[in-house]
């Protein structure tokens, strides 16, 4: 394994080096949080694919293939479908908003009345997503070096926290591109064909396994439907995904680059299921389906190649972990801490346009953005990173933690976010009611029926929708000035943002949603 170890060590050293290089580019808030909003199609599509295809999609996807056959592709397939829907129908409008967080979008749409509570829900989701990604290091480093679980979590988490803190989104973008290339070579070009050949080809696989392994819905129709609700819809509204959309330099890049990334996810989903199916033929009696990936890598691949494929698994985990970490820190700093302090800095189209001078964000008056914006966000990444490592050390059940995160995200925020984009009659009061009712319904049903039950997300979404529509229709429509400003931002019209970008007082009280200024 000496050669394989060398490959892994060089890879990890390269990640840290890119973090250091990214620090030199991240000199403004826009650079640090959204890579200056100037990624082209190749880099955008690669980094988007990297963040959505994490350890669950790689190790978990192969495990589902081992257990269910080709229908095990559905989990990752629904992730790809969600990314395609986001890219085709919403990404251009999202990119034109020139915001940093989902909660800022809700503030713009509803007049500043829904940001804090949505920020807390989004922060909880991104925190748990980062924790579950960090926990995957324990599995991978155990396979690679036989490390103790706690040491593996600390080592893997420290590397991600280091390069994310140094360069923010620029470092993460650079490392994600490397991770995308490594995953493509390691999983699609090497492991997939070698696994099929080792298993005797598709004909032999079909002869050795039950017919259910090759049935499109062998995993179960209800399971597929639940995957759509959780993962496809989760792709539409997650801060970690939106923050990547904000990095696109144009509407066209966001739409076409995201479509390419979504298509890549569909291919990756099928590849994972096929590898898992091949592993079932080769190793029919593994203790856990999730052991399939590591087992086939260790036993079926030659020296050197094995190290590259294990680096691919590490890449998958690190890309999702770093993306979730910066999303968590961005929400904590901009949506929660800033509101607690009583001041919110909202970006304007001029504030962080791609053509702004490098090293500063031109504010509404042309002045450079204070440097402490970068320092503050960097400090929050470090703080959230340490919190993620501590929670990961204390947590055992990864699946339940991730399920809670996605149920809260989709049950609480899907309706007000999509409602704000699609229904002009939706109001701030309706959005707040939707978040509260949907979130409480999900939590209550998870407590009574179990975290892994399907019913919490079903009834949570229904309750959220009913509350949103009923309260919106029963309350005064959103002020026309707020809606006009919202439509102008969606259309990307210059100057539509007015004076936003200055420090704004956080609204309080029921009049916030209907005041002419929306603040």
């Amino acid at each position: 394994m000496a050669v394989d170890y060398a490959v892994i060590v060089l890879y990890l050293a390269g990640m840290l080096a890119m973090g250091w290089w990214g620090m030199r580019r991240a000199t403004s808030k826009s650079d640090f949080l959204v890579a200056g909003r100037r990624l082209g199609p190749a880099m955008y599509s690669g980094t988007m694919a990297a963040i959505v295809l994490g350890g669950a999609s790689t190790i978990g996807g192969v495990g589902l293939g081992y257990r269910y056959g080709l229908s095990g592709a559905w989990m990752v397939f629904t992730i790809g479908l969600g990314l395609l829907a986001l890219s085709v129908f919403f990404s251009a409008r999202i990119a034109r908003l020139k915001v940093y967080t989902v909660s800022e979008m809700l503030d713009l749409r509803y007049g500043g009345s829904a940001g804090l509570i949505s920020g807390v829900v989004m922060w909880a989701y991104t925190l748990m997503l980062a924790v579950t990604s960090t926990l995957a290091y324990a599995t991978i480093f155990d396979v690679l070096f036989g490390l103790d679980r706690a040491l593996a979590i600390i080592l893997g988490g420290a590397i991600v926290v280091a390069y994310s803190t140094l360069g923010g989104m620029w470092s993460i973008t650079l490392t994600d591109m490397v991770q995308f290339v490594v995953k493509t070579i390691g999983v699609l070009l090497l492991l997939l064909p070698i696994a099929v050949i080792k298993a005797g080809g598709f004909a032999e696989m079909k002869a050795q396994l039950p017919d259910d392994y090759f049935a499109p819905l062998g995993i179960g129709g209800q399971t597929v439907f639940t995957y759509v609700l959780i993962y496809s819809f989760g792709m539409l509204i997650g801060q970690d995904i939106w923050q990547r959309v904000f990095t696109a330099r144009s509407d066209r890049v966001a739409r076409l680059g995201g479509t390419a990334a979504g298509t890549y996810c569909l291919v990756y989903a099928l590849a994972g299921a096929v590898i898992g199916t091949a592993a079932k033929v080769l190793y029919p009696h593994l203790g856990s389906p999730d052991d399939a990936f590591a087992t086939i890598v260790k036993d079926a691949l030659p020296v050197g190649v094995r190290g590259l494929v294990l680096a691919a698994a590490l890449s998958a985990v690190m890309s999702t972990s770093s993306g979730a970490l910066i999303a968590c820190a961005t929400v904590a700093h901009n949506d929660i801490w800033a509101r607690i302090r009583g001041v919110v800095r909202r970006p304007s189209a001029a504030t962080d346009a791609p053509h702004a001078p490098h090293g500063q964000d031109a504010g509404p008056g042309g002045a450079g953005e204070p440097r402490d914006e970068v320092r503050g966000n960097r400090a929050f990444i470090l703080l959230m990173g340490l919190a993620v490592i501590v929670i990961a050390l204390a947590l055992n059940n990864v699946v339940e933690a991730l399920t809670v995160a996605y149920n809260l995200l989709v049950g609480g925020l899907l309706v007000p976010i999509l409602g704000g984009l699609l229904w002009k009659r939706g109001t701030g009061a309706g959005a707040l009611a939707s978040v509260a009712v949907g979130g409480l319904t999900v939590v209550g049903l998870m407590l009574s029926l179990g975290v892994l039950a399907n019913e919490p997300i079903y009834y949570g979404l229904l309750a959220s929708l009913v509350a949103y529509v009923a309260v919106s229709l029963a309350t005064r429509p959103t002020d026309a000035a707020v809606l006009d400003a919202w439509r102008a931002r969606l259309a990307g019209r210059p100057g539509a943002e007015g004076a936003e970008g200055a420090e704004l007082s956080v609204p309080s009280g029921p009049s916030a949603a209907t005041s002419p200024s929306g603040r």
Side-chain angles (χ1 to χ4, degrees):
M1 292 286 288
V3 175
D4 297 320
Y5 290 161
V7 171
I8 300 297
V9 171
L10 286 173
Y11 167 77
L12 294 176
M15 296 299 99
L16 292 174
M18 288 186 179
W20 183 263
W21 187 84
M23 182 175 65
R24 301 175 61 186
R25 296 184 63 93
T27 56
S28 68
K29 179 180 179 180
S30 176
D31 284 332
F32 193 82
L33 295 182
V34 290
R37 303 190 195 273
R38 51 179 178 262
L39 296 191
M43 188 166 283
Y44 177 85
S45 60
T47 56
M48 181 64 85
I51 188 177
V52 301
L53 296 173
S57 300
T58 304
I59 299 171
V62 172
L64 287 172
Y66 183 89
R67 185 174 180 184
Y68 298 106
L70 298 186
S71 66
W74 273 109
M75 184 188 77
V76 184
F77 203 82
T78 56
I79 290 174
L81 292 177
L83 185 52
L84 284 171
L86 173 71
S87 302
V88 172
F89 298 112
F90 300 109
S91 63
R93 283 185 285 177
I94 291 171
R96 286 196 292 266
L97 289 174
K98 299 293 188 217
V99 295
Y100 291 109
T101 68
V102 174
S103 295
E104 287 178 358
M105 167 264 170
L106 292 173
D107 274 351
L108 288 171
R109 169 59 181 83
Y110 296 113
S113 59
L116 180 58
I117 186 172
S118 65
V120 172
V121 173
M122 189 65 76
W123 173 78
Y125 156 72
T126 53
L127 179 69
M128 294 313 299
L129 183 61
V131 167
T132 54
S133 300
T134 303
L135 281 167
Y137 297 129
T139 301
I140 296 174
F141 280 110
D142 177 56
V143 172
L144 293 177
F145 308 115
L147 292 181
D148 174 73
R149 174 184 179 274
L151 183 58
I153 290 173
I154 293 171
L155 175 61
I159 292 171
V160 170
V161 171
Y163 74 69
S164 300
T165 302
L166 286 172
M169 187 60 81
W170 267 122
S171 293
I172 293 171
T173 297
L174 295 169
T175 54
D176 277 0
M177 274 306 297
V178 175
Q179 290 159 358
F180 171 74
V181 172
V182 171
K183 278 192 289 190
T184 301
I185 295 173
V187 175
L188 297 185
L189 302 183
L190 293 176
L191 184 58
L192 175 61
I194 291 174
V196 172
I197 292 171
K198 290 281 187 179
F202 284 102
E204 182 64 19
M205 290 163 59
K206 198 161 188 180
Q208 293 283 337
L209 297 172
D211 290 341
D212 287 350
Y213 267 71
F214 301 92
L217 294 177
I219 198 171
Q222 187 180 35
T223 299
V224 174
F225 181 64
T226 303
Y227 283 162
V228 170
L229 288 183
I230 293 177
Y231 296 114
S232 294
F233 287 153
M235 289 297 105
L236 297 180
I237 59 175
Q239 170 68 25
D240 52 325
I241 309 302
W242 278 41
Q243 200 156 343
R244 294 308 173 96
V245 175
F246 301 151
T247 65
R249 72 183 179 203
S250 68
D251 301 352
R252 180 180 175 83
V253 168
R255 185 170 55 253
L256 297 183
T259 301
T263 304
Y264 178 91
C265 291
L266 304 183
V267 176
Y268 199 89
L270 185 58
V274 171
I275 293 168
T277 305
K280 182 67 175 179
V281 174
L282 294 169
Y283 319 102
H285 304 297
L286 290 178
S288 168
D290 285 342
D291 293 337
F293 181 88
T295 302
I296 197 169
V297 168
K298 288 177 68 176
D299 293 350
L301 299 182
V303 173
V305 173
R306 182 171 49 204
L308 182 60
V309 174
L310 287 172
L314 193 59
S315 296
V317 175
M318 294 180 81
S319 57
T320 299
S321 181
S322 59
L325 176 59
I326 193 172
C328 176
T330 302
V331 171
H333 184 254
N334 293 276
D335 292 335
I336 299 177
W337 176 243
R339 294 170 196 276
I340 291 174
R341 293 173 58 208
V343 171
V344 177
R345 179 180 293 277
R346 291 201 186 116
S348 68
T351 298
D352 45 27
H355 58 271
H358 184 68
Q360 70 175 28
D361 286 347
E369 187 181 60
R371 295 286 177 167
D372 62 3
E373 288 283 355
V374 175
R375 288 196 296 270
N377 281 286
R378 181 174 281 133
F380 264 79
I381 289 182
L382 179 59
L383 181 64
M384 291 298 105
L386 294 175
V388 164
I389 292 173
V390 170
I391 295 171
L393 289 171
L395 198 63
N396 288 320
N397 198 318
V398 182
V399 175
E400 289 192 0
L402 191 60
T403 302
V404 169
Y406 268 101
N407 280 351
L408 283 174
L409 173 71
V410 176
L413 292 181
L414 178 69
V415 171
I417 290 173
L418 292 188
L421 290 169
L422 300 174
W423 190 40
K424 66 179 182 180
R425 185 60 180 83
T427 66
L432 287 171
S434 178
V435 174
V437 172
L440 290 174
T441 301
V442 164
V443 171
L445 289 175
M446 283 193 295
L447 290 174
S448 61
L449 300 177
V451 170
L452 299 180
N454 291 324
E455 289 80 5
I457 190 62
Y458 298 163
Y459 293 111
L461 268 176
L462 180 61
S464 180
L465 177 61
V466 171
Y468 181 71
V469 173
V471 175
S472 291
L473 292 176
T475 52
R476 180 181 173 184
T478 304
D479 190 89
V482 173
L483 286 178
D484 287 344
W486 165 255
R487 294 190 192 100
R489 290 290 284 264
L490 279 179
R493 291 201 292 270
E497 68 283 348
E500 291 187 288
E503 291 187 345
L504 307 176
S505 298
V506 176
S508 60
S511 63
T514 56
S515 64
S517 66
R519 304 189 183 104

